[in-house]
Amino acid sequence: FSKNTVINEEIIEEIEEILIQADMGFDTVTSVIQKIERSLTKNEKKDVSFIYDAIKNELKNFLSNDTLQPQPEDKDEKNLKIILVVGVNGTGKTTSIAKIANRYLSEGKKVILAACDTFRGAAIEQLEVWAQRSGAYLVKHQHGADAAAVAYDAVEAALARNADYLIIDTAGRLHTNKNLMEELKKIKRIVQKKIINAPHEILMVLDAVTGQNAVPQVKTFNEALSLTGLILTKLDGTAKGGVVIRIQNEFNIPVKYIGIGEQIDDILPFNANDFIDALFE
Amino acid sequence: SLSGKLCKIFRNLKGYGRLSESNIKEAMREIKLALLEADVNYRVVKDFVAAVKSKAVGKDVIDSITPGQQVVKIVHDELVNLMGGTPEPVELKKYNNRLMLVGLQGSGKTTTAAKLASYYRKKGHNPLLVGLDVQRPAAIDQLVFLAKQLDIPVFYDKKEKNVVDIAKRSLIEMQRCKATICIFDTAGRLHIDQQLMDELADLKQVICPQDILFVADAMTGQDAVTSIKEFNEKLSVTGVAVTKLDGDARGGAALSIKATTGCPIRFVGLGEKISDFDVFYPDRMASRILG
Ligand SMILES: Nc1nc2c(ncn2[C@@H]2O[C@H](COP(=O)(O)OP(=O)(O)OP(=O)(O)O)[C@@H](O)[C@H]2O)c(=O)[nH]1
Ligand SMILES: Nc1nc2c(ncn2[C@@H]2O[C@H](COP(=O)(O)OP(=O)(O)OP(=O)(O)O)[C@@H](O)[C@H]2O)c(=O)[nH]1
Ligand SMILES: [Mg+2]
Ligand SMILES: [Mg+2]
């Protein structure tokens, strides 16, 4: 009976290897393969390229539903929009902020940056270089200052200057550090108090080389802050970032941007089709 | 945890006498799942499970422990063995030690450079830090900040774009300030960036380091093998430092790196402070990966 034939074991292993090595995670890979297996006819199951296309389409439909509007812009025209950028250490937050700021600036928008990483050595200096290069205005205090206080000042400055966007850079932190997660909640509260509906975007930055640990990372940050999207960086490397499929499945948080290099232009809005095709390259 | 699952699988095995192919099958599947979830490389997992299976099949069920515990022990011992057995301490010479840090962007090189300087100073060495990242904004400022915090000398040149030049001059400085170990921090780079990988090879030629440490992020997934292979082939990596182990990443990348290249894991990063640093203990890592 057509539905009972199983896909050739060798093909399953081949697909499993590709998708697991893309960091999609064993459970997610298995459930996608099983779903396709149930939906194909006996003859289709013998056609390798048909199987691959079926899997690709399944993944594309899955990711596209919630990311049909990849632009994070739903702001009312005249008002300030605040974007809070968070994530674990070294993922590319500061660099991604520079890239996003640059995009808005090239659209003629007024952008303010807030240096709320007051902890790491030369974090403020690093953002300062990017502010100078892009033309964004930087709000900063001294090293060691209270991050929430810097955020508060930045909102005031953004309002006073009639800015279109305020992007807040925060220190990298592991999701397992409760105190640091509390600090982020405090920054969010401070901003919320000043402006209704703010922060309008809370974007978590994920390094494409990250494996399954991305899941507990996103889970914790999401529970603390209610993330609105992800930025997947370093896709110019060989890592595929397939774990975002599992993340979409479990938390319904879409990837909004991808980072594809270290220069200010190296950013693109997320495109599900390109992303899924790249998994198989 | 994997140990819990394995013990459950073999719970009914008492009195069967031997661990056979069939009752081992379920256990092997659990091990495969646990290691993949821990981000151990797909191929490494395959080889590992095959190795454990061959050690487990046909084994007599010892009276004193349950079959589940027996399989757990085989898995644990195999992991520790793969990780490098007992920790081997790094022996430095009295003088003229040169250690180069390399790796992908954001893995923790600059922070680890400062940690190593502090570590070796505690061991009686006179360290000199060298800033060879001339591309990342404020990279030199970051290293200078850390060096100042530790009151350790740092050599850099903010106006020079030629890193090989800076490296050459730092060796002169090393002589001048009588440093016994020179720790070189380099810019993060992709293993597929031909030009930047060539730059590392050029730096290696000029510096002649006894140690080239690849700094790897503990949360790295399947890509760990791809990057280390490239760095190792280009430079002959002598050791690995795994960072951000203060999180809950299981760190399977460490096993993948060691199993694929044989590069010994030397150090671990356990936080952002200079003191959050230790030598690598294979058995601790094995327990962590097992979950
Ligand atoms: N190749 C590549 N490198 C990137 C990308 N995004 C960031 N980087 C590099 O990754 C490194 C870390 O970037 P940062 O922006 O400092 O990361 P961060 O998250 O702000 O780091 P912390 O503030 O220390 O937590 C830098 O060397 C960046 O140049 C990317 O898309 N591709
Ligand atoms: N929690 C934790 N954070 C770490 C550890 N090691 C480094 N970091 C943090 O990770 C981030 C990146 O560290 P860096 O030392 O700047 O990394 P890098 O490899 O020099 O980065 P590039 O020079 O851009 O390639 C910083 O926020 C560090 O404080 C660690 O062991 N634990
Ligand atoms: Mg930063
Ligand atoms: Mg660095």
Side-chain angles (χ1 to χ4, degrees):
Chain A
F1 200 46
S2 68
K3 292 287 177 180
N4 287 338
T5 314
V6 153
I7 296 177
N8 176 350
E9 199 47 50
E10 240 182 70
I11 299 176
I12 297 262
E13 271 216 19
E14 200 174 287
I15 296 173
E16 187 182 89
E17 177 160 6
I18 291 176
L19 294 181
I20 288 185
Q21 293 197 322
D23 285 315
M24 226 171 97
F26 186 80
D27 288 343
T28 311
V29 172
T30 308
S31 67
V32 170
I33 293 178
Q34 284 175 355
K35 180 167 184 201
I36 295 303
E37 214 162 17
R38 283 194 296 272
S39 71
L40 296 181
T41 66
K42 183 171 184 173
N43 283 330
E44 284 169 341
K45 279 170 190 163
K46 296 208 180 99
D47 181 349
V48 182
S49 58
F50 197 94
I51 298 172
Y52 270 91
D53 284 342
I55 298 228
K56 273 194 196 179
N57 287 329
E58 170 66 14
L59 293 174
K60 283 178 185 176
N61 288 334
F62 180 70
L63 274 189
S64 297
N65 284 335
D66 302 85
T67 56
L68 270 180
Q69 313 301 334
Q71 300 81 26
E73 1 279 302
D74 335 295
K75 74 175 194 121
D76 24 18
E77 273 318 305
K78 279 291 145 206
N79 297 344
L80 170 67
K81 181 162 166 188
I82 301 180
I83 303 172
L84 178 62
V85 178
V86 301
V88 309
N89 308 71
T91 49
K93 298 176 290 300
T94 306
T95 311
S96 300
I97 287 170
K99 295 170 181 176
I100 293 173
N102 188 52
R103 273 173 70 92
Y104 288 140
L105 288 160
S106 59
E107 289 171 13
K109 303 281 194 276
K110 197 167 204 178
V111 183
I112 310 273
L113 302 182
C116 290
D117 180 353
T118 54
F119 167 76
R120 204 204 72 209
I124 298 172
E125 286 81 342
Q126 183 185 7
L127 191 59
E128 194 147 29
V129 172
W130 284 120
Q132 285 163 2
R133 285 185 192 176
S134 61
Y137 178 79
L138 179 69
V139 173
K140 59 171 176 143
H141 289 189
Q142 74 287 6
H143 184 266
D146 174 31
V150 181
Y152 185 88
D153 272 6
V155 178
E156 298 232 295
L159 288 171
R161 290 165 163 265
N162 261 316
D164 298 300
Y165 292 93
L166 165 61
I167 312 178
I168 303 175
D169 189 14
T170 60
R173 69 204 66 215
L174 293 183
H175 52 296
T176 45
N177 188 319
K178 296 220 165 63
N179 291 340
L180 292 184
M181 293 309 292
E182 282 306 312
E183 179 191 73
L184 274 186
K185 286 186 196 169
K186 184 174 172 202
I187 293 177
K188 179 180 179 180
R189 271 199 308 275
I190 289 268
V191 170
Q192 244 167 4
K193 276 209 185 121
K194 285 288 281 175
I195 300 204
I196 305 275
N197 294 328
H200 306 83
E201 288 281 352
I202 302 186
L203 302 177
M204 180 168 174
V205 180
L206 271 189
D207 187 330
V209 302
T210 312
Q212 301 311 300
N213 192 246
V215 178
Q217 281 181 29
V218 172
K219 181 168 197 287
T220 309
F221 273 79
N222 190 38
E223 282 171 356
L225 305 167
S226 296
L227 303 172
T228 61
L230 303 175
I231 301 173
L232 185 62
T233 61
K234 308 179 199 173
L235 271 176
D236 46 318
T238 50
K240 308 284 184 172
V243 69
V244 300
I245 296 173
R246 186 177 163 188
I247 287 172
Q248 173 88 6
N249 194 22
E250 294 186 30
F251 311 110
N252 208 11
I253 298 172
V255 177
K256 301 228 166 171
Y257 293 107
I258 60 170
I260 51 168
E262 302 192 67
Q263 306 312 323
I264 210 162
D265 290 315
D266 294 331
I267 185 169
L268 287 174
F270 181 70
N271 179 309
N273 286 342
D274 294 347
F275 180 77
I276 299 299
D277 286 338
L279 289 186
F280 289 87
E281 271 153 28
Chain B
S1 73
L2 180 61
S3 341
K5 290 197 184 115
L6 292 179
C7 286
K8 198 153 154 241
I9 291 170
F10 289 102
R11 191 180 31 207
N12 305 316
L13 205 53
K14 253 186 160 29
Y16 264 53
R18 270 183 187 203
L19 298 176
S20 70
E21 275 268 354
S22 58
N23 58 39
I24 280 247
K25 194 152 177 268
E26 194 184 352
M28 294 304 118
R29 184 162 194 280
E30 284 302 329
I31 293 167
K32 172 182 171 182
L33 261 66
L35 293 182
L36 285 177
E37 188 63 17
D39 289 321
V40 179
N41 181 270
Y42 187 81
R43 299 246 167 93
V44 172
V45 172
K46 270 190 141 177
D47 295 343
F48 183 85
V49 169
V52 166
K53 188 172 176 197
S54 67
K55 291 208 163 86
V57 170
K59 248 204 165 17
D60 294 324
V61 173
I62 303 175
D63 286 336
S64 52
I65 61 174
T66 69
Q69 285 169 334
Q70 207 163 339
V71 175
V72 169
K73 176 144 181 19
I74 293 173
V75 173
H76 184 268
D77 291 352
E78 188 65 17
L79 267 176
V80 173
N81 208 12
L82 258 184
M83 288 295 217
T86 45
E88 10 166 335
V90 193
E91 283 308 327
L92 286 192
K93 307 183 298 192
K94 269 196 107 196
Y95 307 103
N96 202 14
N97 294 288
R98 301 150 190 218
L99 190 163
M100 208 166 126
L101 290 157
V102 301
L104 300 176
Q105 290 90 344
S107 58
K109 297 174 292 301
T110 305
T111 311
T112 304
K115 289 175 177 178
L116 282 165
S118 171
Y119 172 81
Y120 283 121
R121 183 172 58 180
K122 290 207 190 97
K123 295 217 165 246
H125 274 280
N126 184 22
L128 171 67
L129 282 163
V130 179
L132 295 180
D133 183 350
V134 299
Q135 82 90 14
R136 170 176 152 153
I140 300 293
D141 293 330
Q142 185 186 3
L143 188 64
V144 169
F145 174 88
L146 292 168
K148 276 217 173 77
Q149 230 178 24
L150 289 169
D151 191 20
I152 286 182
V154 51
F155 184 81
Y156 60 96
D157 185 343
K158 282 195 184 175
K159 299 205 203 70
E160 178 60 74
K161 281 295 165 202
N162 185 332
V163 278
V164 172
D165 238 55
I166 301 176
K168 284 185 183 153
R169 286 159 48 208
S170 73
L171 294 177
I172 300 171
E173 177 62 16
M174 183 183 187
Q175 297 270 10
R176 195 201 67 78
C177 69
K178 300 203 169 54
T180 60
I181 177 169
C182 213
I183 298 168
F184 299 83
D185 179 27
T186 66
R189 68 204 62 212
L190 296 177
H191 47 293
I192 51 174
D193 189 325
Q194 231 14 278
Q195 196 181 1
L196 288 184
M197 291 305 285
D198 286 344
E199 178 187 88
L200 278 184
D202 293 341
L203 280 174
K204 178 182 179 181
Q205 259 205 336
V206 158
I207 295 171
C208 304
Q210 294 88 354
D211 261 309
I212 298 185
L213 273 191
F214 178 81
V215 180
D217 194 324
M219 65 182 95
T220 309
Q222 298 288 314
D223 197 56
V225 169
T226 325
S227 48
I228 186 64
K229 268 195 181 159
E230 238 12 81
F231 274 82
N232 192 33
E233 256 159 61
K234 192 80 177 176
L235 308 166
S236 295
V237 168
T238 63
V240 176
V242 181
T243 61
K244 308 178 202 171
L245 274 170
D246 44 315
D248 57 5
R250 302 262 290 281
L255 175 67
S256 306
I257 288 172
K258 181 76 185 20
T260 322
T261 62
C263 294
I265 314 238
R266 298 270 188 221
F267 300 106
V268 293
L270 301 164
E272 298 192 71
K273 300 200 301 295
I274 297 295
S275 52
D276 295 327
F277 185 72
D278 204 354
V279 291
F280 175 73
Y281 294 101
D283 54 348
R284 288 187 201 173
M285 196 73 212
S287 307
R288 181 187 183 113
I289 291 179
L290 273 178

